[in-house]
Amino acid sequence: MTLRISRPLALLLALWGLTPIYPQIVPAFPVDPGTADDQRRPDIAVGEDGSFTVVWGAAVYGDVYMAIYDALGNASREPYSIDDSNGLVGYLAAPKIETLGDNVVVVWQANYHDPGSESNVGGRLFTRAGDPIGRGLFQDFDQLGDYRPQVSYINDSTFYLAWGSSRYGTPSQADIYGQIMTNSRRRIGDVFVVNNHTDPEVGHYSHRIAASPSANRGIIVWYDNRTGQ
């Protein structure tokens, strides 16, 4: 259903201090014009000014790409690879992006050529203009067997990383780990296990995270099979 607001009604609403909302739909457009490649699992973050940043994985080349647009869909930075693995990665996939203020965080899953095809997680900080800040977020605590990282800002300077892991020696068959980090890439505390149920036969999967910077806290959800289902 489409609600049409007449000009007299719009003027009356304005006099009352109410601003009518008109639909403005930009026609569909390709974020990456390289249609010959297999593009997968996009994610998007919108800034306070309405500009937006898109990330996605390109299966053919195995990289994660980023593109930045203004509020009307005009490209302010064309697609470019944000892979900083120096050739150690077989492919990158499933990127997630979060932005707050002047900072952007992107995390992704990586599969390495060496020592095998085991998964890992990667991520990096960027400015709103798309320029990288420092080195990778996970470089100080990489572990094989990690997968599907998620990220969310807790406040304007701190974000929460969460990821799944089947790394050897974990309490359970598959657990969910977390780490709090600042925009200056300083780690707050150590890596910790999120789930409180650590039966070796129980797996914890499909984690998602959300946070409220105004409340300075966040929450994470997942599913596990502790009850057998």
Side-chain angles (χ1 to χ4, degrees):
M1 181 181 71
T2 301
L3 178 62
R4 299 185 181 278
I5 302 177
S6 66
R7 289 183 182 275
L9 178 56
L11 178 59
L12 183 59
L13 289 173
L15 291 174
W16 287 341
L18 303 174
T19 303
I21 299 175
Y22 296 97
Q24 183 178 16
I25 300 176
V26 177
F29 60 94
V31 173
D32 186 348
T35 55
D37 300 333
D38 189 0
Q39 323 277 343
R40 298 182 182 179
R41 295 185 181 277
D43 199 20
I44 188 170
V46 182
E48 296 174 358
D49 60 353
S51 62
F52 55 95
T53 303
V54 185
V55 291
W56 67 95
V60 173
Y61 296 105
D63 291 337
V64 168
Y65 285 82
M66 176 186 288
I68 304 174
Y69 294 82
D70 66 17
L72 297 178
N74 302 307
S76 58
R77 186 155 185 175
E78 298 290 343
Y80 64 101
S81 171
I82 60 174
D83 176 15
D84 64 341
S85 62
N86 299 318
L88 295 177
V89 176
Y91 68 90
L92 310 178
K96 294 294 180 182
I97 185 172
E98 177 84 345
T99 185
L100 188 64
D102 296 327
N103 294 279
V104 175
V105 184
V106 184
V107 295
W108 58 80
Q109 180 171 323
N111 285 70
Y112 284 74
H113 284 305
D114 185 17
S117 60
E118 296 178 88
S119 62
N120 206 330
V121 291
R124 207 168 187 185
L125 267 167
F126 297 86
T127 66
R128 286 288 301 155
D131 300 318
I133 302 173
R135 59 177 188 164
L137 298 177
F138 294 89
Q139 290 187 359
D140 294 334
F141 51 97
D142 278 351
Q143 291 284 340
L144 294 175
D146 296 345
Y147 57 90
R148 294 293 173 89
Q150 305 281 318
V151 61
S152 187
Y153 267 98
I154 301 172
N155 56 46
D156 57 3
S157 65
T158 309
F159 53 90
Y160 182 46
L161 301 167
W163 64 95
S165 180
S166 57
R167 64 178 73 178
Y168 177 76
T170 55
S172 297
Q173 186 181 64
D175 289 300
I176 299 166
Y177 283 76
Q179 173 71 66
I180 299 175
M181 188 173 287
T182 69
N183 286 334
S184 61
R185 299 181 59 260
R186 180 175 64 88
R187 292 168 57 183
I188 299 178
D190 296 323
V191 175
F192 56 92
V193 181
V194 173
N195 46 275
N196 63 341
H197 191 271
T198 55
D199 188 317
E201 300 302 317
V202 173
H204 308 81
Y205 308 100
S206 298
H207 47 286
R208 293 292 185 271
I209 181 173
S212 170
S214 61
N216 198 36
R217 63 187 61 193
I219 187 169
I220 184 169
V221 295
W222 67 91
Y223 91 81
D224 64 42
N225 58 349
R226 71 182 71 181
T227 62
Q229 301 183 52

